[in-house]
Amino acid sequence: MNGEAEEDRASETGRLTADGPGRTRVALLGSGELSRELVTALQRLGAEVIAVDRYADAALHRIADRSMVVDLSDNDELAAAIRWLQPKFVVVGSDVVATDALTAVVDTGFTELVPGIRGARLAANPEGLRRLAADELGLPTAPFWFAGSVEELRAVAGHAGFPMVVKPVVGALGEGRSVMVRDSDIEPAWQRAVSAAGPGAHPRVLAERVVEFDSEVTLLAAHRDGADGPALDFCAPIGHRSEEDPNGQLTVELWQPYPMTAVALDAAKSVAARVARALGGRGLFGVQLLVHGDEVYFTGVDVRPYDAALLTLRTQRLSGFELQARAILGLAIDPIMISPGAARLIYSRRPPGAPAPEAAPDSVAVVADALRVAESDAVVFSHHEGHPRRRLGLALATGPDVAVARDRAGQVAAVLGKLWP
């Protein structure tokens, strides 16, 4: 990154100078498609957003006020870019960010990091995050082990017994998951999990004892600075499930609200609060849980808006992305839900660079057909082809209750899926 060259280029396009005095500068590290709503929300609230990523023409580079191409994994290059930008907030939107550079950000005392340094470090370390939850915070979790080879996984199974759930340490919701019930399942479960992590990922899996649960649930918690200190605001719980067809296409279904008993909801809020406060900083935390009656088990946390937040684009007065923007800037938050809703998020496993089908359907015609469903909406994502697992489309629907919304979202997804035969 050449600072002077970047400044000259930005000045020529008129994007270096803020539109008005006193705009709060926010540097977003990572410019993936999912952060589009966050950039828009920050800009509506008067912030100047600089999208920083490792490649040119990233999804947000034409939406943000300014853009920079920086190797996010290079400590020196990233630190130099942040020093030059002098943002009020640095928002981590990628798991490949150099953490030493982030530590230097915190040490300046001027720039605030979102999430805090501990959350930023653990976002790229799911193993450390799970150990924090179980060992340091004492949160209820299913008994778990990590394995770095088939032999280690076999040893875990020999110690813990069957059945066990095996899944990749990193990956999309539900991707690469297997249930082992006998010795012959061990090697296929290992291969499935490692393959789902994508090329170049460290081969490591999480193995858990099977616990009985009614649903997987995400509880969104906005951590902000309130009048009397740090404050947490909770959204209505979101239920979700994942399914993967034989061709590798993954669909994640989400619905809000997920009905929980008062005891379970209190327990979920307690878990979310302890995790958010342990990770520190401000922003939106998506705490992932298994719920069975009154019992709640912690399974993970997203330290920024992720898949579950997409549903809130239609179910809440302020979406998860708007809540994130307000939490970053220290503004008042309203987590109220305005309508029951559901979503189907469609992923692809087509290898990057693989040729598209020859007879690709007309996207506008397909979307028009999908939107014939009452109270529906659809999103067709653009993306950078380097991503091994890509979000393709999102089917959204609201309704008088969750059952109707889920049925409508399913109808929209069935039509929308014609775009990716």
Side-chain angles (χ1 to χ4, degrees), residues 320-381:
F321 304 96
E322 293 170 308
L323 294 177
Q324 169 81 336
R326 290 194 177 206
I328 291 169
L329 300 176
L331 304 178
I333 281 176
D334 176 5
I336 189 172
M337 190 187 76
I338 58 175
S339 175
R344 296 284 184 99
L345 183 58
I346 304 168
Y347 282 85
S348 172
R349 198 56 169 172
R350 185 168 61 89
E358 292 183 5
D362 180 83
S363 60
V364 174
V366 172
V367 170
D369 192 18
L371 295 183
R372 297 181 191 279
V373 178
E375 295 186 37
S376 67
D377 203 351
V379 177
V380 178
F381 292 103

Side-chain angles (χ1 to χ4, degrees), residues 236-404:
I238 297 172
H240 53 83
R241 69 180 188 90
S242 307
E243 60 183 26
E244 190 170 0
D245 68 20
N247 296 321
Q249 181 165 290
L250 177 71
T251 300
V252 178
E253 183 188 14
L254 307 114
W255 62 95
Q256 187 188 31
Y258 176 80
M260 297 176 67
T261 68
V263 172
L265 185 56
D266 284 346
K269 289 180 177 179
S270 175
V271 168
R274 291 166 68 185
V275 170
R277 288 167 182 149
L279 295 179
R282 59 180 73 188
L284 190 75
F285 295 85
V287 182
Q288 298 160 18
L289 309 160
L290 299 178
V291 177
H292 178 57
D294 291 340
E295 297 179 336
V296 171
Y297 300 93
F298 172 85
T299 62
V301 61
D302 296 317
V303 297
R304 54 184 175 269
Y306 206 61
D307 290 350
L310 291 167
L311 172 57
T312 65
L313 292 170
R314 292 295 175 270
T315 57
Q316 297 185 174
R317 194 185 78 80
L318 297 176
S319 73
F321 304 96
E322 293 170 308
L323 294 177
Q324 169 81 336
R326 290 194 177 206
I328 291 169
L329 300 176
L331 304 178
I333 281 176
D334 176 5
I336 189 172
M337 190 187 76
I338 58 175
S339 175
R344 296 284 184 99
L345 183 58
I346 304 168
Y347 282 85
S348 172
R349 198 56 169 172
R350 185 168 61 89
E358 292 183 5
D362 180 83
S363 60
V364 174
V366 172
V367 170
D369 192 18
L371 295 183
R372 297 181 191 279
V373 178
E375 295 186 37
S376 67
D377 203 351
V379 177
V380 178
F381 292 103
S382 61
H383 50 75
H384 184 251
E385 289 296 327
H387 294 174
R389 169 66 85 179
R390 303 184 299 279
R391 296 177 187 85
L392 298 179
L394 175 70
L396 289 159
T398 54
D401 55 50
V402 164
V404 171

Side-chain angles (χ1 to χ4, degrees), residues 31-49:
S31 302
E33 178 71 25
L34 197 60
S35 294
R36 179 185 295 268
E37 296 290 339
L38 175 60
V39 170
T40 302
L42 286 166
Q43 290 173 327
R44 282 203 302 264
L45 295 171
E48 177 194 18
V49 182

